[in-house]
């Protein structure tokens, strides 16, 4: 089992759309410098961009770099996350999880915020139980897809608390969002990394620029230089990779 100090590093070239593996398949040659990505368990990552940009695929690729235990929160019941090694359940209490260490949580009612709060509480209890109780898991990585649903801007409780303080457990947290301004502040304000596909709405670009401490002009110029897929013409796409520790914003093409 991994420890707090364990990290996973790999090339950051994103997998093609539809990939469901942690190792990117053969992709188009990259024409921009590709930053190395180191993912410690303390990381907090937001993957954002327009619908269909490839953000969920990229988030899954990053997420699978962490060994189990792993939990995917899948409000949309996406086929992308229906992986054979994952146990799919709508049980947020963990009572039916058994010895499974790859969990895909698909809620019966995606709009019920109490279900996500219960799930995050369960995950915390597995890694950081009350005094006198041995941890069930030594660490955990969580991927919250469609964070506007499971970690909305009015979210309170165990989910935002994990994003804010769960680095001490240890835990890693990744989230995807089409509209970053509609997710909880704690999810945006405690980032170690950002994966930013083009954002078409000005208020979303401003939200990301403010949260990452990047001048809006710099973000928009870098975003405008990214390739966008054109049907029947080109499937080339790209994102910006932001790292808090170095304050760097680098293009990644795929």
């Amino acid at each position: 089992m991994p420890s707090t100090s364990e990290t996973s590093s790999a090339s950051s070239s994103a997998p093609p759309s539809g990939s469901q593996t942690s190792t990117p398949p053969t992709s188009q040659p990259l024409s921009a410098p590709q930053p190395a990505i180191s993912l410690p368990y303390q990381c907090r990552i937001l993957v954002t961009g327009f619908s269909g940009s490839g953000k969920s695929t990229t988030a899954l690729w990053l997420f699978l770099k962490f060994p189990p235990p792993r939990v995917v929160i899948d409000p949309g019941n996406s086929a992308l996350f229906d992986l054979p090694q994952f146990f799919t359940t709508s049980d947020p209490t963990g009572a039916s999880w058994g010895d499974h260490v790859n969990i895909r949580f698909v809620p019966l009612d995606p709009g019920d915020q109490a279900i996500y709060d219960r799930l995050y509480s369960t995950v915390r209890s597995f890694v950081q139980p009350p005094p006198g109780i041995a941890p069930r898991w030594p660490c955990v990585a969580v991927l919250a897809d469609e964070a506007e649903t499971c970690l909305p801007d009015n979210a309170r409780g165990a989910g935002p608390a994990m994003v804010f303080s769960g680095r001490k457990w240890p835990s890693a947290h990744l989230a995807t969002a089409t509209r970053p301004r509609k997710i909880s502040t704690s999810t945006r304000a405690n980032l170690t990394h950002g994966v930013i596909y083009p954002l078409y709405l000005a208020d979303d670009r401003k939200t990301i620029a403010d949260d990452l401490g990047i001048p809006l002009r710099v973000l928009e110029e870098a975003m405008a230089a990214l390739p966008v897929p054109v049907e029947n013409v080109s499937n080339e796409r790209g994102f910006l990779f932001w790292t808090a520790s170095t304050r760097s914003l680098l293009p990644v093409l795929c």
Side-chain angles (χ1 to χ4, degrees):
M1 283 295 184
S3 64
T4 0
S5 61
E6 182 168 351
T7 64
S8 89
S9 302
S11 167
S12 62
S13 53
S17 177
S19 170
Q20 297 183 358
T21 62
S22 59
T23 302
T26 302
S27 59
Q28 300 177 30
L30 302 174
S31 57
Q34 304 303 302
I37 299 178
S38 179
L39 300 177
Y41 270 94
Q42 291 77 12
C43 75
R44 298 293 181 265
I45 303 174
L46 174 63
V47 185
T48 187
F50 65 91
S51 181
S53 60
K55 59 184 176 296
S56 292
T57 300
T58 300
L60 179 62
W61 173 67
L62 291 169
F63 174 69
L64 291 177
K65 292 179 178 298
F66 292 95
R70 300 178 290 209
V71 177
V72 174
I73 305 174
D74 183 14
N77 193 13
S78 170
L80 179 69
F81 302 115
D82 189 14
L83 302 174
Q85 68 266 42
F86 277 75
F87 173 67
T88 298
T89 179
S90 58
D91 169 26
T93 70
S96 64
W97 297 5
D99 293 330
H100 293 285
V101 290
N102 286 306
I103 305 297
R104 175 184 176 231
F105 177 72
V106 180
L108 296 177
D109 179 3
D112 185 353
Q113 289 302 305
I115 293 179
Y116 303 115
D117 187 68
R118 185 69 186 92
L119 176 69
Y120 275 104
S121 295
T122 296
V123 171
R124 174 168 187 165
S125 71
F126 278 22
V127 180
Q128 193 181 55
I133 299 178
R136 183 166 169 177
W137 292 345
C139 53
V140 67
V142 175
L143 168 56
D145 195 44
E146 298 182 11
E148 297 98 328
T149 299
C150 52
L151 287 168
D153 54 1
N154 61 349
R156 302 291 184 272
M162 175 182 177
V163 178
F164 183 75
S165 62
R167 300 180 189 189
K168 302 173 184 177
W169 299 357
S171 69
H173 193 278
L174 300 84
T176 73
T178 302
R179 299 294 314 278
R181 69 183 298 268
K182 292 189 174 183
I183 65 177
S184 71
T185 303
S186 66
T187 306
R188 305 192 322 255
N190 293 280
L191 297 178
T192 59
H193 302 84
V195 175
I196 311 162
Y197 284 92
L199 292 164
Y200 294 146
L201 296 179
D203 55 354
D204 285 325
R205 296 195 297 272
K206 185 177 186 307
T207 295
I208 286 295
D210 290 346
D211 287 337
L212 303 186
I214 302 170
L216 179 59
R217 176 185 57 80
V218 172
L219 177 65
E220 290 183 331
E221 288 178 356
M223 196 174 287
L226 292 173
V228 177
V230 178
E231 189 174 1
N232 300 324
V233 177
S234 170
N235 193 42
E236 188 178 38
R237 66 187 68 208
F239 59 80
L240 302 174
F241 186 73
W242 177 83
T243 304
S245 60
T246 59
R247 314 300 296 178
S248 60
L249 185 68
L250 300 174
V252 179
L253 307 183
C254 50

